[in-house]
Amino acid sequence: MEKSIIQKTKQLTNKQAQIVDSNEYPIYLRAGAGTGKTEVLVQKILHILKNEPNVSLMNFAVITFTNKATEEMQNRISSALFREWISKNSNECADSVNLETVNMVDICTIHAFCERLIRRFGLQINIAPTFKVKSYKKETANIISKIVNEYCGNPLLSDIPSYVIERLVAVFLVNNSNRGIQIDEKLTKILSQPTPENQYWNAFKSMFLEIYNRIECEVEASKRKNNVITPNGLVRCAANLLQIPSIINRVVKKYQYVFIDEFQDTNKDQFTLVDSLIKHGVKVFLVGDDKQSIYAFRGADVQNSQEMHSLINKVNKKSSEKYLSENFRSTKEIIAVINSIFSHPFTFNGDKLTFPVEPLEVPSCEISEPNTTPILFEYEKPVKDIIQNILSTTTIKGKPAQYGDIAILCRRNFDLDKIASELKEAGVPICVVGGKGFYKTKEIIDTYKLLNAIVYNNETALNEVRFTDYSKSVKGTNINQIIMEMQDIIRLETVDASLSELYERTGIIKYYRQNHNYQAVSNLLKLNELARTIMDRDNMQPLQFIEYLYIMISTNQEEDEADIPEAERNTGVISLYSIHKAKGLSFPIVVIPCCDNKLNRPITKPKIILDLKSERPTLAFNAEIISNSLTPDKEYLRMLKNNVKEQLEEEIRVFYVACTRAESQIIIANTKSKEQVMQTLRYRDYASVSKWLIESKVT
């Protein structure tokens, strides 16, 4: 074993050190929650740099799935390199070079990695390197509307409004794009195969696929004409590039090592890309945990991860040994609770739901919190009362629990917003991370209203400003006076400069900080950055930007809220997250509210189901959504049961992610009484976290 790095990294366990020291590739490191997988990944890179003098950071691609994860990885690698460099007390050239080039290395999201490949090699498949990356939603909607209207005279659509078909096609396009699925000619033929009992739907399916394929062809042609690639299209294009021998050879020469974190969140196109790298000899190091695959709504499919397990096991017979289970995040009491919960079978309507049974282990340097109850069950108690109970009864590391020790993790954004409002009214200091979409937040809508008033200066616009937070933030100055002053500034300055001036004059940033609303601060700063980007890209004038902002708000465009920098976070406030936003984080105390909510709500019934996992791929439609007069699609009814099963399996994984964020205590909160929750056991078609816990005798 190489000494320099391994011995100096005292935090590595023997198992972690073995993985770092291994020269076998490809590797799929299965790492449970809190097992130090990021540290192992970083140390493995350092180990390679130390032992292979001909390899530099420029020969690595380190791929993540979010900008936040990318930033964290860059910081971890640069810090580790700096520590190693300093520890030697010398100016060795190799280390110095690595230290200097860390910001130039391909540590990026999978979409950014693919974009770089395409800009470099895209001409090989007739893509100009000057292409733009954009959603193409508006253009696609226009093409859908045009082609669907051509089928208005079809008897199959006589009782179905055209907008319904348009929505079906749009949903199908988005779902397939997210999942990395392409409906090619071969798959179309399979999906069009008729079934004897479904005569109407056989004909409808064939017509729908005809419409869909025409739309997809025209959309792709339009994107090529306008030199546009969508974010999901980047991965598909890159995967296609890697099928060209001359290109893959050049890629392999540059990227000798490819490290990918959170591989359980991949779609089919991403799987294909990695598969191609492995087949052509790239040393691939994957890290993932199937128990934390929670991004099906973005197209991730845990089956892709499972298939990669199998593929790598065939290539590297010893890869099955690469598993981390020692949890360094949580107390031994919490680990015992989590193992107890997830070792019991989860069921729905008598069917067993699938969840990997791989218990977490307590490390030799165990963490304990003997005076803290690891799991509590609360019923019919408002969250504000639960918080007060925590503060008065719970100790963390021998000290009374503080607001900053508590995180509230919600499954639904609706619950997140509701609980946030209740806590604000009760005077509880909170910091909301996530929640509504970026363009739905009050601070962004208020900013639009103020910009609108500055430009148009009419009575209606001015009246709307009166009810914004900007009116509250102005002290000693009339908001109308600021609006008048800003009229000259916005005509002379760029939008981003105008926004900065607006924030300064109104004191809105200071106002939000004083009220502990750090999410609003981050969102306003993000709006400023977006304005700068859009101005540079599209040369947009202030009036055009205001119109753009209106479209984004009115059409409910998807955009994640800004990440809150650590410097903005106050330990004296309670953090509120969606469970998805909390992934990768940890908190002393985790409150999971609304655990008695029904998980298999009717809204979960999809408009359309494409099943590619069965022996025969099948396409089916929800007749209820299309028209009340239609007979049910029998294939849909057959497929729905399995679809609900997959959704509930993901709900288990989401709950697992929430539980494994806790260091010392988990609180399961219910809106109903214990008796009412117990009654749900009688209903076969009712699934909830609390029902599962009762059935497993955890509560």
Side-chain angles (χ1 to χ4, degrees):
M1 184 180 291
E2 199 280 317
K3 295 181 180 180
S4 173
I5 293 174
I6 302 298
Q7 289 185 350
K8 289 171 186 176
T9 312
K10 295 181 180 178
Q11 68 269 30
L12 291 183
T13 66
N14 288 336
K15 191 177 287 186
Q16 290 172 332
Q18 287 171 9
I19 295 166
V20 169
D21 194 47
S22 173
N23 292 317
E24 299 166 356
Y25 296 94
I27 296 174
Y28 194 147
L29 174 61
R30 297 179 298 121
T35 56
K37 50 103 172 171
T38 303
E39 182 62 26
V40 170
L41 191 150
V42 171
Q43 292 301 326
K44 187 134 183 98
I45 293 172
L46 291 180
H47 178 75
I48 294 166
L49 292 173
K50 175 66 181 178
N51 286 275
E52 298 189 30
N54 295 325
V55 175
S56 76
L57 274 175
M58 304 303 289
N59 299 122
F60 285 82
V62 184
I63 297 171
T64 64
F65 283 85
T66 65
N67 290 323
K68 183 180 179 181
T70 295
E71 185 180 351
E72 181 187 352
M73 191 66 70
Q74 286 173 331
N75 291 335
R76 294 281 289 271
I77 292 174
S78 59
S79 297
L81 280 169
F82 184 72
R83 288 196 306 269
E84 178 69 11
W85 183 68
I86 289 294
S87 70
K88 292 182 177 182
N89 196 27
S90 69
N91 293 318
E92 290 185 24
C93 181
D95 287 338
S96 181
V97 169
N98 280 325
L99 195 59
E100 291 169 4
T101 60
V102 70
N103 292 322
M104 300 169 59
V105 72
D106 287 330
I107 306 173
C108 54
T109 66
I110 187 136
H111 294 96
F113 175 72
C114 292
E115 182 179 349
R116 293 173 192 182
L117 287 180
I118 299 165
R119 293 204 186 277
R120 187 172 180 182
F121 304 112
L123 284 173
Q124 297 273 357
I125 53 174
N126 298 318
I127 298 174
T130 55
F131 67 85
K132 296 178 181 177
V133 182
K134 56 183 291 188
S135 70
Y136 223 63
K137 286 182 179 179
K138 185 179 179 181
E139 296 86 348
T140 299
N142 290 336
I143 292 170
I144 290 173
S145 181
K146 183 192 77 168
I147 291 178
V148 168
N149 282 333
E150 295 176 11
Y151 287 79
C152 285
N154 192 302
L156 290 168
L157 304 180
S158 59
D159 296 326
I160 306 174
S162 60
Y163 72 85
V164 173
I165 303 299
E166 290 176 24
R167 286 179 186 173
L168 275 176
V169 174
V171 166
F172 200 46
L173 270 169
V174 171
N175 288 349
N176 292 339
S177 177
N178 287 342
R179 292 169 67 186
I181 294 169
Q182 190 169 11
I183 310 296
D184 56 19
E185 186 177 345
K186 181 181 177 182
L187 184 56
T188 299
K189 286 181 180 178
I190 296 171
L191 295 175
S192 300
Q193 290 177 3
T195 53
E197 73 273 26
N198 247 20
Q199 292 186 4
Y200 171 84
W201 290 106
N202 290 337
F204 182 90
K205 190 185 301 180
S206 294
M207 181 204 64
F208 179 85
L209 287 169
E210 181 184 315
I211 295 172
Y212 175 83
N213 287 328
R214 279 191 60 191
I215 289 169
E216 190 175 44
C217 286
E218 190 158 333
V219 168
E220 290 303 313
S222 177
K223 286 191 290 190
R224 283 196 299 273
K225 181 181 177 182
N226 293 299
N227 203 22
V228 168
I229 303 178
T230 61
N232 285 333
L234 289 170
V235 184
R236 179 165 296 172
C237 285
N240 291 337
L241 275 173
L242 298 186
Q243 306 307 311
I244 302 172
S246 60
I247 292 177
I248 188 66
N249 290 337
R250 292 170 67 185
V251 171
V252 170
K253 189 175 180 180
K254 173 172 172 54
Y255 299 110
Q256 298 178 37
Y257 293 89
V258 173
F259 285 44
I260 304 179
D261 198 9
E262 306 288 359
F263 191 78
Q264 76 277 351
D265 294 326
T266 54
N267 66 18
K268 201 66 182 175
D269 280 337
Q270 293 159 2
F271 176 96
T272 302
L273 185 140
V274 176
D275 183 38
S276 183
L277 292 172
I278 290 172
K279 286 177 178 175
H280 288 87
V282 175
K283 294 177 180 177
V284 172
F285 184 83
L286 309 176
V287 182
D289 182 11
D290 292 350
K291 298 189 294 299
Q292 298 188 71
S293 178
I294 61 172
Y295 286 100
F297 67 93
R298 292 182 182 172
D301 188 343
V302 71
Q303 187 176 3
N304 293 320
S305 176
Q306 293 162 354
E307 286 182 14
M308 185 57 70
H309 285 306
S310 300
L311 188 151
I312 288 180
N313 281 334
K314 291 177 182 176
V315 179
N316 180 3
K317 301 296 183 183
K318 296 184 179 180
S319 64
S320 58
E321 301 171 8
K322 308 299 186 286
Y323 177 63
L324 297 178
S325 57
E326 288 184 310
N327 179 292
F328 302 94
R329 172 184 298 156
S330 308
T331 64
K332 66 176 183 178
E333 293 85 3
I334 283 285
I335 293 172
V337 163
I338 290 170
N339 287 340
S340 175
I341 291 173
F342 294 95
S343 64
H344 291 273
F346 295 83
T347 61
F348 178 67
N349 281 346
D351 293 333
K352 186 177 178 181
L353 302 174
T354 301
F355 183 81
V357 183
E358 292 172 333
L360 296 171
E361 296 178 14
V362 178
S364 56
C365 52
E366 65 182 43
I367 309 167
S368 185
E369 197 79 64
N371 298 321
T372 300
T373 306
I375 187 166
L376 287 175
F377 296 87
E378 298 283 7
Y379 300 91
E380 279 190 304
K381 189 180 287 186
V383 174
K384 63 182 179 66
D385 292 345
I386 294 173
I387 298 301
Q388 291 306 314
N389 185 58
I390 293 171
L391 298 177
S392 60
T393 63
T394 305
T395 58
I396 302 296
K397 296 179 181 178
K399 298 179 180 179
Q402 304 293 316
Y403 283 129
D405 295 322
I406 305 168
I408 300 171
L409 309 185
C410 296
R411 177 65 181 93
R412 300 186 301 166
N413 286 335
F414 173 82
D415 297 322
L416 185 70
D417 298 331
K418 184 171 179 281
I419 291 169
S421 297
E422 291 172 358
L423 293 178
K424 283 179 182 177
E425 288 178 11
V428 178
I430 63 170
C431 171
V432 181
V433 184
K436 301 175 184 176
F438 178 75
Y439 292 109
K440 295 180 182 178
T441 58
K442 183 173 174 31
E443 57 271 15
I444 300 303
I445 295 171
D446 283 358
T447 303
Y448 162 73
K449 289 178 179 178
L450 186 53
L451 290 172
N452 194 51
I454 292 168
V455 171
Y456 293 103
N457 197 30
N458 57 50
E459 188 175 346
T460 302
L462 291 170
N463 281 335
E464 286 196 342
V465 172
R466 289 169 49 204
F467 303 100
T468 66
D469 286 341
Y470 284 94
S471 290
K472 300 175 186 176
S473 70
V474 173
K475 292 182 179 180
T477 309
N478 190 294
I479 188 68
N480 288 341
Q481 182 182 334
I482 293 176
I483 289 171
M484 295 294 291
E485 293 170 354
M486 286 297 302
Q487 287 174 351
D488 289 332
I489 294 171
I490 204 166
R491 281 196 295 266
L492 298 171
E493 297 286 350
T494 60
V495 174
D496 57 299
S498 298
L499 283 172
S500 297
E501 186 68 25
L502 191 63
Y503 298 162
E504 179 68 28
R505 291 184 180 234
T506 59
I508 190 70
I509 299 292
K510 185 178 179 181
Y511 170 80
Y512 281 134
R513 282 182 175 144
Q514 288 174 340
N515 286 277
H516 308 294
N517 194 346
Y518 303 108
Q519 184 66 65
V521 172
S522 298
N523 284 343
L524 288 179
L525 296 176
K526 177 175 177 173
L527 181 66
N528 207 332
E529 288 298 317
L530 282 175
R532 185 178 295 113
T533 302
I534 292 168
M535 291 287 293
D536 291 343
R537 185 186 67 202
D538 301 331
N539 197 26
M540 209 177 266
Q541 299 302 310
L543 184 61
Q544 293 171 307
F545 179 78
I546 293 169
E547 291 174 353
Y548 166 85
L549 199 54
Y550 171 75
I551 292 169
M552 294 293 105
I553 294 169
S554 61
T555 57
N556 295 321
Q557 291 296 310
E558 293 183 7
E559 176 72 35
D560 288 339
E561 291 192 65
D563 289 329
I564 302 175
E566 289 293 333
E568 291 282 10
R569 295 181 186 168
N570 190 324
T571 56
V573 301
I574 293 174
S575 300
L576 277 77
Y577 290 81
S578 69
I579 295 174
H580 287 82
K581 279 281 187 178
K583 193 170 179 289
L585 304 176
S586 64
F587 315 91
I589 302 168
V590 167
V591 180
I592 310 174
C594 308
C595 286
D596 52 336
N597 279 356
K598 191 174 183 180
L599 296 173
N600 55 315
R601 303 182 305 277
I603 198 170
T604 62
K605 288 185 179 180
K607 294 180 176 68
I608 186 169
I609 299 176
L610 174 63
D611 179 15
L612 300 180
K613 299 176 184 177
S614 301
E615 192 173 324
R616 183 178 74 83
T618 308
L619 176 68
F621 299 87
N622 186 349
E624 296 173 4
I625 291 175
I626 298 174
S627 175
N628 292 328
S629 63
L630 293 175
T631 57
D633 183 346
K634 293 181 180 179
E635 288 196 300
Y636 181 88
L637 297 177
R638 284 198 297 267
M639 295 163 65
L640 184 60
K641 181 179 179 181
N642 192 58
N643 185 269
V644 171
K645 181 174 180 287
E646 288 180 356
Q647 290 183 47
L648 291 177
E649 287 171 347
E650 174 137 321
E651 292 295 340
I652 300 170
R653 298 194 294 269
V654 170
F655 180 52
Y656 177 83
V657 168
C659 289
T660 52
R661 299 313 94 197
E663 297 170 3
S664 299
Q665 189 175 62
I666 303 167
I667 296 174
I668 305 294
N670 302 276
T671 57
K672 306 181 187 70
S673 68
K674 188 173 184 178
E675 291 72 25
Q676 289 173 317
V677 174
M678 292 291 288
Q679 284 178 359
T680 64
L681 289 173
R682 291 189 260 164
Y683 306 109
R684 283 176 57 83
D685 64 342
Y686 195 98
S688 72
V689 166
S690 292
K691 184 179 179 181
W692 284 330
L693 294 174
I694 294 169
E695 289 174 334
S696 62
K697 297 181 172 55
V698 176
T699 179

